[in-house]
Amino acid sequence: MWEHAKTAAKKIGLNPAVMVAQAALETGWGKHIISKGDGNSSNNLFNIKSDKSWQGEKASKVTLEFEQGAAVKKQASFR
């Protein structure tokens, strides 16, 4: 992952350690990567959500969101 992070970070002007740290935070060091409907990995290391404009593949999952300070479970789609 480190080599890919270095390549991507160089293109966008970011420290690659920041990219790896964010992926680790979002996925619990890879233990909680969202699965697609068929059970395969979505490969979404940053838990990037999709919106109505996203035309690619999506994975759906119940998430815990905070609205006005209250925790609310919602179904969300991810890229």
Side-chain angles (χ1 to χ4, degrees):
M1 179 182 208
W2 181 247
E3 291 305 316
H4 295 293
K6 287 192 324 187
T7 301
K10 186 175 183 178
K11 288 181 181 178
I12 62 173
L14 185 68
N15 181 330
V18 172
M19 295 181 81
V20 172
Q22 187 65 37
L25 174 68
E26 292 289 347
T27 65
W29 288 100
K31 293 179 185 172
H32 307 289
I33 297 174
I34 295 168
S35 297
K36 297 187 288 187
D38 63 5
N40 288 318
S41 174
S42 66
N43 298 312
N44 186 341
L45 296 181
F46 299 96
N47 289 337
I48 300 169
K49 289 184 177 173
S50 60
D51 61 15
K52 294 176 186 172
S53 67
W54 178 251
Q55 299 299 309
E57 286 188 53
K58 297 176 187 176
S60 185
K61 181 170 177 57
V62 174
T63 65
L64 187 62
E65 305 292 337
F66 289 88
E67 296 178 354
Q68 299 178 354
V72 179
K73 287 186 178 181
K74 289 190 164 189
Q75 190 74 27
S77 62
F78 295 82
R79 293 180 176 202

